[in-house]
Amino acid sequence: MEQYDRRPARQVTVPLVRRDSIGASHHVLTFEYDTPLEAQAGQFVMVRGTNWGQSPFLPRPMSLLHGGKRPSILVKVVGEGTRRLANAEPGDLFSVLAPLGRPWSPCSSHRVPILVAGGVGVCPLLFLARTLKQQGIRPVALYGGRSSGDLVLYEELQAESDLRLATEDGSAGVKGKVTALLDEALMEADGRATVYTCGPRAMMASVVAAARKANVPCEVSLETVMACGYGVCLGCAVPRFDGGYVYACSEGACIDGRVIDWKK
Amino acid sequence: MEQYDRRPARQVTVPLVRRDSIGASHHVLTFEYDTPLEAQAGQFVMVRGTNWGQSPFLPRPMSLLHGGKRPSILVKVVGEGTRRLANAEPGDLFSVLAPLGRPWSPCSSHRVPILVAGGVGVCPLLFLARTLKQQGIRPVALYGGRSSGDLVLYEELQAESDLRLATEDGSAGVKGKVTALLDEALMEADGRATVYTCGPRAMMASVVAAARKANVPCEVSLETVMACGYGVCLGCAVPRFDGGYVYACSEGACIDGRVIDWKK
Amino acid sequence: MDLQVKIGELSLSNPVLTASGTFGYGIEFESFFDISRLGGICTKGLSLLPRVGNPPPRIRETASGMLNAIGLANIGVEAFCKDKLPRLRELGATVIPNLYASSVEDFIALAERLDREEGIAAVEVNVSCPNVTKGGLAFGVDPVAAAGVTAAVCKATRFPVWVKLSPEAGRITDVACACEEAGAQALSAINTIRGFAIDTETWRPLLANRTGGLSGPAIKPIAVRMVWEICQAVRIPVIGVGGIASAEDAIEFMLAGASAVQVGSANFRDPMASMTVLEGISAYCERKGLAAKDLIGKVVLD
Amino acid sequence: MDLQVKIGELSLSNPVLTASGTFGYGIEFESFFDISRLGGICTKGLSLLPRVGNPPPRIRETASGMLNAIGLANIGVEAFCKDKLPRLRELGATVIPNLYASSVEDFIALAERLDREEGIAAVEVNVSCPNVTKGGLAFGVDPVAAAGVTAAVCKATRFPVWVKLSPEAGRITDVACACEEAGAQALSAINTIRGFAIDTETWRPLLANRTGGLSGPAIKPIAVRMVWEICQAVRIPVIGVGGIASAEDAIEFMLAGASAVQVGSANFRDPMASMTVLEGISAYCERKGLAAKDLIGKVVLD
Ligand SMILES: Cc1cc2nc3c(=O)[nH]c(=O)nc-3n(C[C@H](O)[C@H](O)[C@H](O)COP(=O)(O)OP(=O)(O)OC[C@H]3O[C@@H](n4cnc5c(N)ncnc54)[C@H](O)[C@@H]3O)c2cc1C
Ligand SMILES: Cc1cc2nc3c(=O)[nH]c(=O)nc-3n(C[C@H](O)[C@H](O)[C@H](O)COP(=O)(O)OP(=O)(O)OC[C@H]3O[C@@H](n4cnc5c(N)ncnc54)[C@H](O)[C@@H]3O)c2cc1C
Ligand SMILES: Cc1cc2nc3c(=O)[nH]c(=O)nc-3n(C[C@H](O)[C@H](O)[C@H](O)COP(=O)(O)O)c2cc1C
Ligand SMILES: Cc1cc2nc3c(=O)[nH]c(=O)nc-3n(C[C@H](O)[C@H](O)[C@H](O)COP(=O)(O)O)c2cc1C
Ligand code: FES
Ligand code: FES
């Protein structure tokens, strides 16, 4: 199962050193490590404020934008935990467990990486684009959202990729779903693509279906509720095509899209 | 029971506008009201951060240093709730229920008010000293603590009173307990004193006993655990001399010291 | 907005009540809001004679909740009828006296005394107080004893009888069914769950009574589960209580099957809590285009 | 620091264990700390055959706690013995397999299978899982059934048998006494308490299994109370579990009578949680000049 070189996760208490707020609901948080966090694209952290007291009880899973001395995450506010993260100030301390999960598989050199992002699903893909760039590969990136406001960090992604946007209201890029862009990109790649996708479940399901039709590999990054993030609570089960379950935190987050039962 | 003119308490959401930290463990918090808080010396607030989430569950009782447009409290950090109060930043919002409790009784004009404070028990007494000053009365104030660091806000109290200090380690004022100063002050007043006291239970018990011996009235401000602060949880019971209980939030906080069973 | 709900033959203007022991005798809230706006007020538990209650400390905060061992301190039924009820009537409140006794005879006497009064919507029989040495829990964990008290009170009063159930019965549905058969018009669930806390420095219990009842958001999932189970077992209305602090909490109980809810410990943290819940339910129903009663039992199980 | 405690004839290096279902098979923690430092490791519940567990969502956070309905997903006893136990032995861990079955026969088969292995300190019989349709709770709420399972397992193995009790028995002390008489060497208390949570937008249960077990700091006061009650009722050691997240929490259980404790959900929020608890107890004992066993049952009641 584990063909990649996984570094053991470390639990550290680190300060927030920067909060860059992009509108009210999106915030890039940057932490400062003593010894660099060696993480690979597609890996995530479990993060919890040391001042959260007894509630929220659990840490929150967040994809890494990059590792290093100052790793960062992008937080979208959807509930109490993300609200607390968004309200944090530089200097506040956080427990961070990282790096976690299976990273993206490498893209073989004779294939074009196509990155398909929906909303905050952009995070692990931005990390991937940065990694590919270091390898001298410039991926195609497709990024969709309801409107232009959802396309956070698109400039950062653009710097690393041939980026194409889609919005449902047409406020940026083509009007429609990001999956429409995918058919075109797959055509261009002419059977020599590898697709990487992260976003809403329905979007990922279509992406996996399109990749299957084009007969190219497709990895997805799973999002589920998680209690532990490191394989012991068994809470992050995702239905598998054969009736069993995969565990998103340990067998994922990044996993072959065909393994998942997308109808469940 | 209620001979004083009590304003109904109001529940408001107000911002913190100032936090003055006196060392690591004492913090004066000032809130900003739209319409002034009409409070009397000896009254208190129940205060809770709107961002505390589900835990700590309850608000915390805190004596008012004064009312008005910008009422303030002094918080000593002893646990989770006071720690959160101490970490608050200007702009943070708080639910405040005030004014609560029975204030100090007025001091009759032919008596000398003697204020006996221990530790953060100084708060309701500082408010009292300020009120007396407005009435042209300069009280005697006795203020004790373990060491000089415990005597927070003593300059403020000094401005309004003839202040005498006592510390157990002798680092400020006379060496010993504040109750030693009381005998002297009672002697000076020659039977025409009214004593007001707030501090640790053992201290208040001695003060009440000394006042009784000198045959002068003595009011105490009760400190107990409180859930509601306005008379409905019945959690703040304090044993009464006759076997029943008084409720610190509604029959106190300020109450005739002889009503309390100090042996319990 | 149609917020009306029915508890047996009794019609309440809305499903938001306040829980016994967390709202005093109701009059304490006069200066905070118009208490006639509440669906109903369950009073502090009343006994035949006044009770001073347990020695302090009586309360202790815990993670997302609190322990209490008040010991049913109350002014007694006589003082309630004389000093509180007339004012509650004047204010137009919907009053549900909560009754506590340590024997069936005393329960009967209490019910008979209240039966002589006007302006009472129902009585709530507390067979589930964990903080008294006699009665209380003993009735609530035994279906036969609970039914006995229920039948006796029903006979002693013309008012509808609600029974407040204990979460500590091994099978709460057995007690629920027994009370239904004995004539209860509605069931309130749940009372607090006994807990214990010890000071690790002094090694002493943090409550003088040693154990106390746990309430607050901490117990909400347990309370919702029990309400759901009871609703499947009985046909009479169930009133949900346990950890309600927001409209969403209340709606969760109603979806699970509760016909109404009681706001308890949340009143301590905010005297306006019950109004916040009421306004939230009203806004929710408006947004969804629903009447409050359309929520009852509508959890989707597939 | 003398941290040693005895659970029957078994001596543990210290009183801090990890709770079943919250520590995997132990090996997952190898990279976090030296797992031989733990007083013991209760494994994820093992069944005769592997189980895939319940459909998702399986977990949900609640106020100061969480609901889970994992459904005893596990690799089965055979794979445990083959793939996990040898490594646990190598690492020097004190291993307590946690057993789940839906019939007495299967419990016996499980115990017999483990009896063929070395490196097992005790077995913990789970008669209290709330998230499976058969077995689980049915055994745990009935003293006779619980005693039956206990006696059968005791007969099938040479290892000490611990029984993990359910908080949902009406009288947990009755079940405790029945298990003691049937031969249990120790009792673990408590398992999770069933709760229910509903999404107020979709009206669906938040867990696919509908109900789930509540754990975490929210339930700590209830767990301490039950441990205290059980300790008064039995003479065998009791192992406290429920909401422990700090050394103070653990000490509270020990003062209430627990001879050892298990750290559960707190492992999820911090894989080092059990070590933090252990180091805290050690520091506390050092400061007080006490051995860990001196804390057991020392709550001051007067
Ligand atoms: C591997 C992984 C990587 C993630 N990366 C990011 C990221 O980079 N940026 C980001 O903003 N979010 C990310 N998420 C989602 C994020 O973890 C959740 O939004 C967060 O946990 C919600 O916490 P809350 O307390 O604010 O919301 P809650 O109050 O717990 O819930 C609010 C809503 O969010 C849903 N929700 C809760 N937890 C999750 C979850 N784990 N996944 C999906 N939905 C959830 C709930 O069902 C509910 O509808 C990631 C999740 C996973 C599993
Ligand atoms: C009428 C009144 C006025 C008060 N005025 C002030 C004030 O002006 N400044 C100030 O710093 N404090 C004041 N207090 C005390 C303050 O309310 C408590 O220190 C605070 O509630 C503790 O909260 P916590 O969460 O930090 O501590 P917790 O974690 O709840 O407890 C920490 C320790 O403090 C004790 N404690 C908890 N609540 C109280 C309480 N209400 N009274 C006494 N001890 C308690 C606990 O038993 C425990 O030992 C006042 C209390 C009352 C009743
Ligand atoms: C301080 C306090 C006193 C209570 N007194 C009573 C009582 O007298 N009679 C009763 O039936 N329930 C009493 N209860 C239980 C509540 O009515 C309610 O059932 C319980 O607290 C759970 O609801 P909550 O979590 O919303 O508080 C009391 C609860 C508290 C916290
Ligand atoms: C996700 C999860 C899985 C659990 N699985 C088991 C199990 O397999 N067997 C068992 O006896 N207890 C199981 N438990 C119960 C715990 O061992 C423990 O008794 C309970 O969670 C209370 O402790 P806590 O509050 O510290 O978590 C599980 C608990 C959780 C949260
Ligand atoms: S999140 Fe705990 S096992 Fe995956
Ligand atoms: S604090 Fe609630 S009655 Fe006094």
Side-chain angles (χ1 to χ4, degrees):
Chain A
M1 179 65 73
E2 317 209 342
Q3 306 102 336
Y4 61 98
D5 166 34
R6 193 199 289 205
R7 311 247 154 206
R10 279 187 291 150
Q11 171 93 29
V12 295
T13 302
V14 290
L16 182 72
V17 288
R18 268 187 84 149
R19 188 192 66 198
D20 299 281
S21 298
I22 308 167
S25 57
H26 292 87
H27 307 264
V28 176
L29 304 190
T30 304
F31 304 96
E32 182 147 83
Y33 269 60
D34 278 339
T35 47
L37 171 63
E38 292 189 51
Q40 299 173 57
Q43 290 192 300
F44 65 96
V45 306
M46 293 294 284
V47 57
R48 188 171 183 280
T50 57
N51 65 0
W52 287 8
Q54 303 280 34
S55 204
F57 176 57
L58 297 169
R60 295 295 186 259
M62 291 287 154
S63 295
L64 281 162
L65 293 172
H66 55 80
K69 280 267 309 173
R70 295 188 154 208
S72 47
I73 57 175
L74 169 71
V75 177
K76 179 181 175 186
V77 177
V78 300
E80 178 68 10
T82 48
R83 190 181 65 69
R84 296 218 182 198
L85 286 168
N87 288 342
E89 298 288 342
D92 288 357
L93 293 176
F94 287 83
S95 290
V96 182
L97 180 64
L100 294 168
R102 197 179 171 282
W104 298 113
S105 300
C107 184
S108 87
S109 58
H110 54 278
R111 289 187 173 268
V112 185
I114 302 179
L115 283 43
V116 191
V120 289
V122 73
C123 300
L125 294 168
L126 178 54
F127 193 166
L128 177 59
R130 285 171 169 158
T131 306
L132 290 168
K133 191 197 198 173
Q134 282 164 9
Q135 298 163 5
I137 305 169
R138 194 174 167 84
V140 173
L142 318 176
Y143 189 6
R146 221 168 295 256
S147 74
S148 62
D150 288 345
L151 304 179
V152 281
L153 299 184
Y154 83 92
E155 289 104 328
E156 283 80 352
L157 187 55
Q158 196 152 39
E160 326 288 352
S161 69
D162 166 11
L163 178 65
R164 306 164 197 183
L165 304 177
T167 51
E168 288 175 35
D169 67 358
S171 54
V174 305
K175 185 171 167 147
K177 302 220 168 184
V178 69
T179 38
L181 296 173
L182 178 58
D183 292 328
E184 202 182 292
L186 282 171
M187 210 112 84
E188 287 171 20
D190 193 19
R192 282 188 310 277
T194 298
V195 180
Y196 299 89
T197 184
C198 184
R201 194 179 163 84
M203 182 203 97
M204 292 202 287
S206 321
V207 171
V208 171
R212 182 166 241 159
K213 222 172 99 196
N215 203 22
V216 298
C218 176
E219 274 198 340
V220 302
S221 175
L222 299 172
E223 272 209 18
T224 57
V225 180
M226 291 185 174
C228 72
Y230 62 95
V232 300
C233 74
L234 307 185
C236 62
V238 176
R240 223 160 70 165
F241 73 100
D242 61 359
Y245 299 101
V246 293
Y247 290 101
C249 73
S250 42
E251 300 178 71
C254 302
I255 192 168
D256 183 340
R258 288 167 306 182
V259 172
I260 306 304
D261 180 352
W262 294 102
K263 290 182 295 295
K264 284 250 173 88
Chain B
M1 180 66 69
E2 317 210 344
Q3 307 101 334
Y4 61 99
D5 165 34
R6 191 200 289 209
R7 311 248 155 205
R10 280 187 290 148
Q11 172 92 29
V12 294
T13 302
V14 290
L16 182 72
V17 289
R18 268 187 82 149
R19 188 193 67 197
D20 298 282
S21 298
I22 308 167
S25 57
H26 293 87
H27 307 265
V28 177
L29 304 189
T30 305
F31 304 97
E32 182 147 85
Y33 268 60
D34 279 340
T35 48
L37 171 63
E38 292 189 51
Q40 297 173 58
Q43 290 192 299
F44 66 96
V45 306
M46 293 293 285
V47 57
R48 188 173 183 280
T50 57
N51 65 0
W52 286 7
Q54 303 279 34
S55 202
F57 177 56
L58 297 169
R60 295 293 185 263
M62 290 287 153
S63 294
L64 280 161
L65 293 173
H66 54 80
K69 282 269 305 176
R70 295 186 154 210
S72 45
I73 58 175
L74 169 71
V75 177
K76 179 182 175 185
V77 177
V78 299
E80 178 68 11
T82 47
R83 189 182 64 71
R84 297 218 182 198
L85 287 167
N87 288 341
E89 298 289 341
D92 288 357
L93 294 176
F94 287 83
S95 291
V96 182
L97 180 64
L100 293 168
R102 196 177 171 283
W104 298 113
S105 300
C107 184
S108 89
S109 58
H110 54 280
R111 288 188 172 268
V112 186
I114 303 179
L115 283 44
V116 190
V120 288
V122 73
C123 300
L125 294 167
L126 178 55
F127 193 166
L128 177 59
R130 285 170 169 157
T131 306
L132 289 168
K133 191 196 197 175
Q134 280 164 13
Q135 298 163 8
I137 305 169
R138 195 172 167 85
V140 172
L142 317 176
Y143 190 6
R146 221 169 295 255
S147 74
S148 62
D150 288 346
L151 304 179
V152 281
L153 299 184
Y154 84 92
E155 290 102 329
E156 283 80 352
L157 186 56
Q158 195 153 38
E160 326 287 354
S161 69
D162 167 9
L163 178 65
R164 304 163 199 185
L165 304 177
T167 51
E168 290 176 35
D169 67 358
S171 54
V174 305
K175 186 172 168 146
K177 302 219 167 184
V178 69
T179 38
L181 296 172
L182 178 58
D183 292 328
E184 200 182 293
L186 282 171
M187 208 110 86
E188 287 171 21
D190 193 18
R192 283 188 309 277
T194 297
V195 179
Y196 300 89
T197 185
C198 185
R201 195 181 163 83
M203 182 203 97
M204 293 202 286
S206 323
V207 171
V208 170
R212 182 167 242 158
K213 220 170 103 197
N215 203 22
V216 299
C218 176
E219 274 198 340
V220 302
S221 176
L222 298 172
E223 272 208 17
T224 59
V225 180
M226 291 184 174
C228 73
Y230 62 95
V232 300
C233 74
L234 307 185
C236 62
V238 176
R240 222 160 70 168
F241 73 99
D242 62 358
Y245 299 101
V246 294
Y247 290 101
C249 73
S250 42
E251 300 176 72
C254 302
I255 193 168
D256 183 340
R258 288 167 306 182
V259 173
I260 305 305
D261 180 351
W262 294 102
K263 289 181 296 296
K264 284 248 173 91
Chain C
M1 226 12 61
D2 176 9
L3 294 179
Q4 214 166 313
V5 294
K6 293 202 75 173
I7 306 296
E9 275 138 46
L10 180 67
S11 225
L12 301 178
S13 63
N14 68 72
V16 181
L17 292 79
T18 49
S20 175
T22 68
F23 206 71
Y25 302 104
I27 294 166
E28 294 87 340
F29 287 78
E30 215 186 307
S31 66
F32 292 121
F33 61 88
D34 171 3
I35 60 173
S36 74
R37 290 180 60 199
L38 283 166
I41 295 170
C42 300
T43 69
K44 175 69 201 165
L46 298 170
S47 48
L48 216 40
L49 297 177
R51 292 171 59 97
V52 295
N54 289 332
R58 292 181 176 182
I59 49 176
R60 181 71 189 185
E61 189 163 329
T62 65
S64 295
M66 60 181 283
L67 290 170
N68 92 78
I70 306 301
L72 282 162
N74 80 97
I75 58 175
V77 71
E78 201 53 51
F80 173 75
C81 293
K82 236 182 67 225
D83 304 336
K84 306 292 178 184
L85 198 51
R87 182 69 189 144
L88 286 166
R89 274 194 297 256
E90 251 170 62
L91 293 169
T94 302
V95 184
I96 300 107
N98 175 281
L99 311 187
Y100 161 73
S102 55
S103 69
V104 176
E105 293 68 44
D106 284 3
F107 267 119
I108 294 173
L110 267 172
E112 284 175 348
R113 175 63 192 86
L114 286 166
D115 202 52
R116 305 210 308 264
E117 299 290 330
E118 292 305 317
I120 288 175
V123 294
E124 184 179 54
V125 181
N126 177 6
V127 292
S128 45
C129 181
N131 300 321
V132 288
T133 38
K134 286 198 334 187
L137 262 187
F139 290 119
V141 297
D142 174 4
V144 177
V149 173
T150 306
V153 174
C154 287
K155 232 180 111 186
T157 179
R158 72 201 138 112
F159 302 126
V161 174
W162 302 356
V163 183
K164 176 117 171 235
L165 301 180
S166 167
E168 299 200 31
R171 298 169 54 135
I172 197 170
T173 49
D174 289 354
V175 181
C177 292
C179 294
E180 176 181 37
E181 257 177 62
Q185 297 253 336
L187 303 170
S188 311
I190 59 174
N191 211 315
T192 55
I193 310 175
R194 274 176 314 134
F196 193 32
I198 304 170
D199 187 316
T200 55
E201 284 306 315
T202 64
W203 295 7
R204 285 171 194 282
L206 283 161
L207 299 181
N209 187 55
R210 301 177 182 175
T211 62
L214 183 65
S215 63
I219 68 166
K220 193 188 71 171
I222 303 173
V224 173
R225 188 259 298 173
M226 290 187 169
V227 164
W228 180 61
E229 287 177 343
I230 295 166
C231 289
Q232 290 171 305
V234 301
R235 268 162 307 181
I236 52 176
V238 175
I239 299 158
V241 49
I244 296 175
S246 71
E248 281 65 41
D249 295 336
I251 291 164
E252 213 180 330
F253 275 91
M254 294 187 71
L255 293 170
S259 299
V261 298
Q262 296 174 1
V263 177
S265 308
N267 291 308
F268 300 155
R269 103 173 164 189
D270 178 357
M272 302 298 293
S274 55
M275 286 298 107
T276 308
V277 171
L278 175 55
E279 282 154 20
I281 293 178
S282 176
Y284 181 93
C285 288
E286 179 122 31
R287 174 160 68 82
K288 300 263 182 189
L290 294 171
K293 63 177 177 303
D294 296 340
L295 298 170
I296 301 168
K298 289 296 166 55
V299 58
V300 179
L301 303 173
D302 51 19
Chain D
M1 227 9 62
D2 175 11
L3 295 177
Q4 215 167 311
V5 294
K6 292 202 77 173
I7 306 296
E9 276 139 48
L10 180 68
S11 223
L12 301 178
S13 64
N14 68 72
V16 182
L17 292 78
T18 51
S20 175
T22 67
F23 206 70
Y25 302 103
I27 295 167
E28 295 87 339
F29 287 77
E30 212 185 311
S31 66
F32 293 121
F33 61 89
D34 172 3
I35 60 174
S36 74
R37 291 182 60 200
L38 284 166
I41 295 170
C42 299
T43 69
K44 175 69 200 164
L46 299 171
S47 47
L48 217 40
L49 296 177
R51 293 172 58 98
V52 294
N54 290 330
R58 291 181 176 182
I59 49 176
R60 181 71 190 184
E61 189 163 330
T62 64
S64 295
M66 61 180 282
L67 290 170
N68 91 77
I70 306 301
L72 282 163
N74 79 98
I75 57 174
V77 70
E78 201 54 52
F80 173 76
C81 293
K82 235 181 69 223
D83 305 336
K84 307 292 177 184
L85 198 50
R87 181 71 188 144
L88 286 167
R89 274 193 298 255
E90 250 169 62
L91 293 169
T94 302
V95 185
I96 299 108
N98 176 281
L99 311 187
Y100 161 74
S102 56
S103 69
V104 176
E105 293 68 44
D106 284 3
F107 267 118
I108 294 173
L110 267 172
E112 285 176 347
R113 175 65 191 85
L114 287 166
D115 202 53
R116 306 210 307 264
E117 299 290 330
E118 291 306 317
I120 289 175
V123 295
E124 184 180 55
V125 180
N126 177 6
V127 292
S128 45
C129 181
N131 299 322
V132 288
T133 39
K134 286 199 330 189
L137 261 186
F139 290 118
V141 298
D142 174 3
V144 178
V149 173
T150 306
V153 173
C154 286
K155 234 181 109 186
T157 180
R158 72 201 138 112
F159 302 125
V161 173
W162 302 356
V163 182
K164 177 117 171 233
L165 301 180
S166 167
E168 299 199 32
R171 298 169 55 134
I172 197 169
T173 48
D174 290 354
V175 181
C177 293
C179 294
E180 176 181 36
E181 258 177 61
Q185 297 254 336
L187 302 170
S188 310
I190 60 175
N191 211 314
T192 55
I193 311 174
R194 274 176 315 133
F196 193 32
I198 304 170
D199 187 316
T200 55
E201 284 306 314
T202 65
W203 295 7
R204 286 173 193 280
L206 284 161
L207 299 181
N209 187 54
R210 300 179 184 174
T211 61
L214 184 65
S215 64
I219 67 167
K220 192 189 70 172
I222 302 172
V224 173
R225 188 258 298 172
M226 290 187 169
V227 165
W228 181 61
E229 286 177 344
I230 295 165
C231 289
Q232 290 171 305
V234 301
R235 267 163 308 182
I236 52 176
V238 175
I239 298 156
V241 48
I244 296 175
S246 70
E248 281 65 40
D249 296 337
I251 291 163
E252 213 180 331
F253 275 92
M254 293 186 72
L255 292 171
S259 298
V261 298
Q262 296 175 1
V263 177
S265 308
N267 291 308
F268 301 154
R269 103 174 167 191
D270 178 355
M272 302 298 294
S274 54
M275 285 298 106
T276 309
V277 170
L278 174 55
E279 282 155 19
I281 293 178
S282 175
Y284 180 93
C285 287
E286 179 121 33
R287 175 160 66 84
K288 299 265 182 188
L290 293 171
K293 64 176 176 305
D294 296 340
L295 298 169
I296 302 168
K298 288 296 167 54
V299 59
V300 179
L301 302 173
D302 50 19

